[in-house]
Amino acid sequence: MRYNIEINLSALPTAELRIRKENGHKMLRIDLDASPAVSQWRNGTWHLALTAWELKAVAEGGDTHLLKPNLGKAERESMTEEQRGNLPIVGHLRPVPQQQQQRPKPEPTALPQTNDPEFFEEKDDDLPF
């Protein structure tokens, strides 16, 4: 079975919305060292590790699972049950309707990287966050 996955990237710890100085594009900045669900692999690529928790009943919108950051064993075991329960829900899964399951998968694309210090400068805007 295939699932549609929706991830709320702004729910990740340390995520901040910024406005790109030269063109006003909205950018999401995540402190990769402070976010336990994000890690760099040996080949230099960055990965977001999530765990899908199955819901006891299908939610109103058709969701069957919720997504939370996947922590390493040591970090998970050092947390209390309450702390683990308070990890942010960053997304959900819902089954793909049968007629949509034959569509081809899109090719993954790499994100551009920059070391430009002005790239993430904040700009006054009317965004509510």
Side-chain angles (χ1 to χ4, degrees):
M1 175 173 280
R2 293 186 184 178
Y3 291 88
N4 285 325
I5 302 169
E6 292 185 18
I7 299 173
N8 177 2
L9 296 173
S10 63
L12 291 171
T14 74
E16 299 175 9
L17 179 69
R18 298 292 181 123
I19 305 300
R20 193 168 180 177
K21 188 176 182 178
E22 68 264 9
N23 60 12
H25 287 192
K26 295 176 196 82
M27 308 296 291
L28 185 67
R29 182 171 77 174
I30 300 170
D31 182 345
L32 299 173
D33 293 323
S35 186
V38 178
S39 62
Q40 186 174 24
W41 287 16
R42 283 178 277 205
N43 65 1
T45 59
W46 289 92
H47 294 262
L48 174 63
L50 302 173
T51 300
W53 295 88
E54 188 172 8
L55 299 172
K56 293 179 181 175
V58 176
E60 186 176 318
D63 300 347
T64 58
H65 296 74
L66 58 86
L67 299 171
K68 289 191 170 196
N70 184 4
L71 306 176
K73 183 178 180 180
E75 186 171 2
R76 188 176 56 252
E77 288 178 350
S78 71
M79 298 171 79
T80 66
E81 187 67 33
E82 182 179 354
Q83 289 172 319
R84 285 190 295 269
N86 288 333
L87 284 170
I89 296 171
V90 298
H92 58 266
L93 302 174
R94 79 174 50 101
V96 174
Q98 291 290 57
Q99 65 272 19
Q100 292 182 7
Q101 290 194 19
Q102 302 305 320
R103 292 185 183 176
K105 295 181 195 176
E107 290 294 319
T109 57
L111 294 174
Q113 295 185 11
T114 181
N115 291 327
D116 181 0
E118 294 185 6
F119 186 80
F120 285 115
E121 284 194 11
E122 289 189 79
K123 179 179 170 182
D124 290 334
D125 61 75
D126 59 344
L127 295 175
F129 38 87

